[in-house]
Amino acid sequence: MEYIKLNSGEQMPIVGTGTNTYGKENNQYRGKLNGDFTVLEDAIDLGYRSIDAAVSYSNEAGVGETLAKSKISREDFFITSKLPINDEYISTKDAVRKTINNSLKNFHTDYLDLYLIHHPIENKEYFKQTWEVFEEYYKNGKLKSIGVSNFDEELLNEMKKFATVKPAVNQIPINLKEPNQELIELLKSMEITPVAWGPMDASGEQIEALTEIGKAYNKSWAQVLLRYQIQRGIVVIPKSHNKNNQAANLDLFNFELSEEDVNKVSHL
Ligand SMILES: NC(=O)c1ccc[n+]([C@@H]2O[C@H](COP(=O)([O-])OP(=O)(O)OC[C@H]3O[C@@H](n4cnc5c(N)ncnc54)[C@H](OP(=O)(O)O)[C@@H]3O)[C@@H](O)[C@H]2O)c1
């Protein structure tokens, strides 16, 4: 595994697993919880240590329970969760504290590695007070790093007015259909690490082209795509319900794409 040093000083694994459909019927995002986290157990067995969760996925308790029951010690995991932005979670500082405390409880832990505001908060007062609570938990060590998700340039600038701690990451869609290149460059210039959600999204044509590139390395289209992202300093959190695909998505550290191939992928 390779790691990226966040602006908080913490090391984040460059590959993690998403969890948004785990423990749910038919592997559907809105599926009923069924308590079956075998797929997450498989991921942990394969070596995944960075786990991307969220309160709004409704399965945080099951994800936390699975991690707590594994043979892996707490400090070997890098656990991310996210605060939803519905009023009930953000309208008072105590509401924010209650949600963070509940996440800590769900993960049977006294600290989380990373906590994000899941989506932009439009109400400026709520936004400011939410970040103030994040900073409070950052300073007391219960949140090792704090960050945001789905934020654009305007919001990142808005934050500068009140933030005394810069977000460590911005988790945004980054894939071949939505490359988000300008925002990635801005984040890098601000020393905010880009984390790619939905990293596997690609058209049939793009998959064919990636497959072609992969032949020289004996790697699949998915591995070429993920390698392309990590090779340029982007954290990826692909999610899979297939153990072979989960294994493939971790098997990225024994090849390097040539400059020519990086250039090809960037133009797909
Ligand atoms: N911050 C946000 O607002 C936000 C939004 C969306 C998602 N997320 C996070 O990002 C994570 C990842 O995003 P995502 O779940 O939307 O999509 P994703 O990881 O980009 O794609 C998942 C799909 O890719 C397939 N796949 C994975 N590895 C593969 C491989 N090696 N070869 C072929 N197919 C492969 C999976 O199928 P199989 O199961 O068949 O392998 C699945 O259908 C989520 O789980 C969640 O934690 C965050």
Side-chain angles (χ1 to χ4, degrees):
M1 180 53 64
E2 288 173 11
Y3 297 82
I4 281 204
K5 192 174 181 182
L6 305 180
N7 64 25
S8 57
E10 300 292 323
Q11 301 276 355
M12 179 172 192
I14 201 155
V15 182
T17 177
T19 62
N20 63 358
T21 49
Y22 290 176
K24 298 182 185 179
E25 270 180 9
N26 303 318
N27 306 336
Q28 292 297 309
Y29 183 73
R30 298 197 189 285
K32 258 199 206 156
L33 295 179
N34 64 8
D36 181 357
F37 285 91
T38 316
V39 72
L40 181 56
E41 289 164 7
D42 287 346
I44 296 168
D45 282 349
L46 287 166
Y48 284 89
R49 295 294 176 266
S50 173
I51 313 292
D52 184 76
V55 172
S56 58
Y57 301 162
S58 323
N59 60 1
E60 197 189 43
V63 171
E65 189 72 23
T66 307
L67 267 52
K69 275 193 191 153
S70 75
K71 295 187 191 84
I72 309 302
S73 47
R74 167 66 188 94
E75 61 271 20
D76 290 337
F77 280 119
F78 185 101
I79 304 174
T80 302
S81 198
K82 314 185 193 82
L83 178 89
I85 56 143
N86 318 48
D87 279 1
E88 64 178 292
Y89 298 102
I90 58 168
S91 58
T92 63
K93 283 192 163 188
D94 269 343
V96 179
R97 291 187 188 105
K98 192 173 152 195
T99 309
I100 300 173
N101 291 341
N102 200 46
S103 290
L104 289 165
K105 205 167 123 201
N106 279 339
F107 283 101
H108 306 256
T109 183
D110 53 8
Y111 73 93
L112 289 165
D113 296 280
L114 180 61
Y115 211 70
L116 310 179
I117 299 180
H118 203 149
H119 293 97
I121 298 175
E122 277 173 23
N123 178 312
K124 288 190 179 172
E125 190 192 324
Y126 290 179
F127 183 16
K128 179 170 177 286
Q129 77 189 13
T130 296
W131 193 250
E132 282 168 357
V133 175
F134 272 45
E135 291 192 355
E136 179 186 311
Y137 276 68
Y138 174 72
K139 287 172 185 161
N140 72 19
K142 289 185 179 175
L143 300 177
K144 299 283 182 200
S145 300
I146 50 178
V148 296
S149 179
N150 301 304
F151 273 39
D152 61 11
E153 179 170 8
E154 196 184 328
L155 272 159
L156 292 166
N157 285 332
E158 171 74 26
M159 270 187 103
K160 284 185 189 162
K161 294 181 191 156
F162 55 79
T164 67
V165 178
K166 209 193 319 193
V169 315
N170 187 12
Q171 188 183 118
I172 54 173
I174 301 176
N175 54 61
L176 293 190
K177 287 187 184 164
E178 208 172 343
N180 247 323
Q181 192 51 37
E182 259 178 52
L183 186 51
I184 291 171
E185 276 156 29
L186 175 80
L187 293 173
K188 290 199 168 173
S189 73
M190 295 172 87
E191 295 179 323
I192 297 173
T193 299
V195 177
W197 67 253
M200 310 311 299
D201 210 5
S203 70
E205 230 171 81
Q206 288 167 331
I207 288 175
E208 268 178 40
L210 291 167
T211 305
E212 205 47 47
I213 293 170
K215 284 180 183 163
Y217 305 91
N218 206 14
K219 294 288 176 183
S220 69
W221 70 268
Q223 291 170 312
V224 171
L225 179 51
L226 293 173
R227 177 72 210 183
Y228 165 73
Q229 303 296 8
I230 64 172
Q231 210 166 299
R232 59 194 193 121
I234 292 171
V235 174
V236 291
I237 46 166
K239 175 267 319 274
S240 172
H241 286 268
N242 173 314
K243 199 168 180 180
N244 292 330
N245 287 347
Q246 287 181 328
N249 297 347
L250 270 187
D251 184 21
L252 306 174
F253 303 104
N254 48 12
F255 75 114
E256 189 172 350
L257 294 172
S258 67
E259 225 177 283
E260 194 191 335
D261 286 334
V262 166
N263 194 37
K264 269 192 208 161
V265 178
S266 72
H267 286 95
L268 287 179

